[in-house]
Amino acid sequence: MVGPPAGPAGSAGYVYLIAAVAALGGLLFGFDTAIINGALVFLKKDFGLTDAQTELAASSILFGAVAGAALAGWLTDRYGRRRLLFGAALLFTVSALAAALPRTLTEFVVARLAGGIAIGVASLVVPLYIAEIAPARIRGRLVTLNQLAIVSGILLAYIASYYLAGLGLASWRWMFAAAAVPSLLFMLTLLLVPESPRWLLGRGREAEALGTLTRLNGPVTAATEAAEIQAALADEQGEQASLSQPRLRRPLRIAVVLAVLQQITGINTILYYGSIIFTEHSGQSASSAIGANALIGGINFAGTVVALFIIDRVGRKPLLLFASGGMALALGALVVGLQLHAPAPWLLGLIMGYVACFAVGLGPGVWVVITEIFPNAVRGRAASLATVALWVACTLISFTFLSLVKAAGLAGAFGLYALLSALTFVFVWRAVPETKGRTLEEIEQGWQ
């Protein structure tokens, strides 16, 4: 492990290096989940899939993500953040190659399940790890860097799909195999980063933790922060470290409900089924549909860049309110446009507005809140519960979308997501506290 030497105030470059390396896990998360969008058109034809089989092919990775997120909470508290990220990087590599080689749908589903486990681990551990190494003043920005990596992976998947689509019916195999390259890069760069100092202090490894904190924040701040973390850990011993303690009920409820609402407002129906929506409901060719997806991916990326620069200034709650309200309005207008048979460019514009609102607020904001609001001793397990809930909701939406469209029409499906976006606005307004600018230990004291 290497890094810049620490000055009196620590090394900002080292902080950003650690966050950037960890965020490569987010890039793989985004790429592996979104690559199915372009691949599905060709996979469906190549294997002759029915609608139910297509839903299974698209959603299989999500079943693995549920399992990965469920295991990650216990594993990361026991074995550490860095070691678990390395295991996820290895699994990303193996699953990418395996998904490119199947001869049957069953083999494909098994490969995607393995990739899903890696995604579930990364989706929990990457933002958790970044939050634990980040100074309070830029924690929102650095955790949002992971969300930026996720949407970068999504955009990269769309671009790769667009160019690889020219290879013909078997192009989906190359789309999946392409993920092996960033997976190997992730494994190598993890050698440059340290273990979380908060996890080290919880295991009695004070010298290692203090060394990392000194490099991150400078010697004076490091000593003060180490003392605060140790005091907080001492308060959490025994019964206090249980997830059933009364003071955890409110943060658990907030985290789980936010995680579910982030998904059931429908964002992944666009990210996973965009090509099918545009080809089967707008009459576009497969190539044009994948191109439209790339445009949506660009909007997703741009919105997340905006969030990166304002989340520590504006705060978490205002962004969540803006996002959910904007999503409800955009989806409501989309429903009207579908009923009136509006031109395809108008519909695409409304979808882009919906995605932009999500990218600015609900996408990064939920992950930031989940990683901030739990005590040190139970952060991995508690965040795991919220992340499992998120992936269960994502799986439910993705696995039922085509069936919902068949039963209620595209307008009916997006009308439901508009209503759920409005309910998200109400929940954030009434229940979610502001956490910007506070240390993790200060946030913890707020639940006392």
Side-chain angles (χ1 to χ4, degrees), residues 179-204:
V181 176
S183 301
L184 288 169
L185 179 63
F186 186 33
M187 272 198 293
L188 292 174
T189 54
L190 281 171
L191 300 174
L192 302 175
V193 304
E195 181 54 83
S196 162
R198 284 175 167 82
W199 184 84
L200 290 170
L201 285 170
R203 295 299 180 274

Side-chain angles (χ1 to χ4, degrees), residues 378-396:
V378 297
R379 185 169 293 119
R381 284 171 288 154
S384 175
L385 288 178
T387 308
V388 168
L390 184 149
W391 284 114
V392 168
C394 180
T395 304
L396 177 66

Side-chain angles (χ1 to χ4, degrees), residues 154-169:
I154 292 171
L155 179 58
L156 184 62
Y158 290 165
I159 293 172
S161 296
Y162 180 76
Y163 284 104
L164 292 172
L167 297 177
L169 193 59

Side-chain angles (χ1 to χ4, degrees), residues 228-249:
E228 291 176 353
I229 295 169
Q230 287 176 317
L233 288 168
D235 289 340
E236 297 166 14
Q237 297 302 312
E239 180 62 27
Q240 291 290 352
S242 169
L243 288 180
S244 62
Q245 58 185 287
R247 67 173 177 150
L248 280 181
R249 290 172 187 166

Side-chain angles (χ1 to χ4, degrees), residues 151-404:
V151 300
S152 298
I154 292 171
L155 179 58
L156 184 62
Y158 290 165
I159 293 172
S161 296
Y162 180 76
Y163 284 104
L164 292 172
L167 297 177
L169 193 59
S171 60
W172 63 270
R173 297 183 183 274
W174 292 102
M175 295 177 188
F176 290 112
V181 176
S183 301
L184 288 169
L185 179 63
F186 186 33
M187 272 198 293
L188 292 174
T189 54
L190 281 171
L191 300 174
L192 302 175
V193 304
E195 181 54 83
S196 162
R198 284 175 167 82
W199 184 84
L200 290 170
L201 285 170
R203 295 299 180 274
R205 294 159 63 175
E206 290 88 354
E208 292 177 64
L210 189 60
T212 299
L213 287 171
T214 299
R215 183 166 287 178
L216 292 170
N217 302 312
V220 176
T221 303
T224 302
E225 189 170 0
E228 291 176 353
I229 295 169
Q230 287 176 317
L233 288 168
D235 289 340
E236 297 166 14
Q237 297 302 312
E239 180 62 27
Q240 291 290 352
S242 169
L243 288 180
S244 62
Q245 58 185 287
R247 67 173 177 150
L248 280 181
R249 290 172 187 166
R250 187 179 171 211
L252 272 173
R253 181 172 65 251
I254 290 170
V256 169
V257 173
L258 271 181
V260 170
L261 288 171
Q262 187 202 56
Q263 294 302 308
I264 64 175
T265 46
I267 187 64
N268 283 318
T269 62
I270 303 298
L271 300 183
Y272 298 165
Y273 292 105
S275 295
I276 289 181
I277 291 173
F278 293 129
T279 54
E280 296 185 3
H281 296 273
S282 298
Q284 297 185 27
S285 67
S287 180
S288 297
I290 293 173
N293 282 332
L295 184 59
I296 290 171
I299 293 296
N300 199 7
F301 178 86
T304 307
V305 171
V306 172
L308 185 73
F309 287 102
I310 67 175
I311 193 167
D312 284 317
R313 298 178 183 179
V314 176
R316 288 55 159 153
K317 187 167 184 173
L319 285 186
L320 290 172
L321 289 170
F322 167 81
S324 53
M327 290 162 64
L329 292 174
L331 287 176
L334 179 62
V335 169
V336 174
L338 288 168
Q339 297 282 14
L340 297 177
H341 304 288
W346 284 92
L347 301 180
L348 177 60
L350 290 170
I351 290 174
M352 289 167 61
Y354 161 71
V355 172
C357 290
F358 177 88
V360 169
L362 208 61
V366 169
W367 289 111
V368 171
V369 171
I370 287 174
T371 59
E372 288 181 328
I373 62 177
F374 296 115
N376 289 312
V378 297
R379 185 169 293 119
R381 284 171 288 154
S384 175
L385 288 178
T387 308
V388 168
L390 184 149
W391 284 114
V392 168
C394 180
T395 304
L396 177 66
I397 292 297
S398 302
F399 196 63
T400 60
F401 177 65
L402 295 181
S403 300
L404 177 61

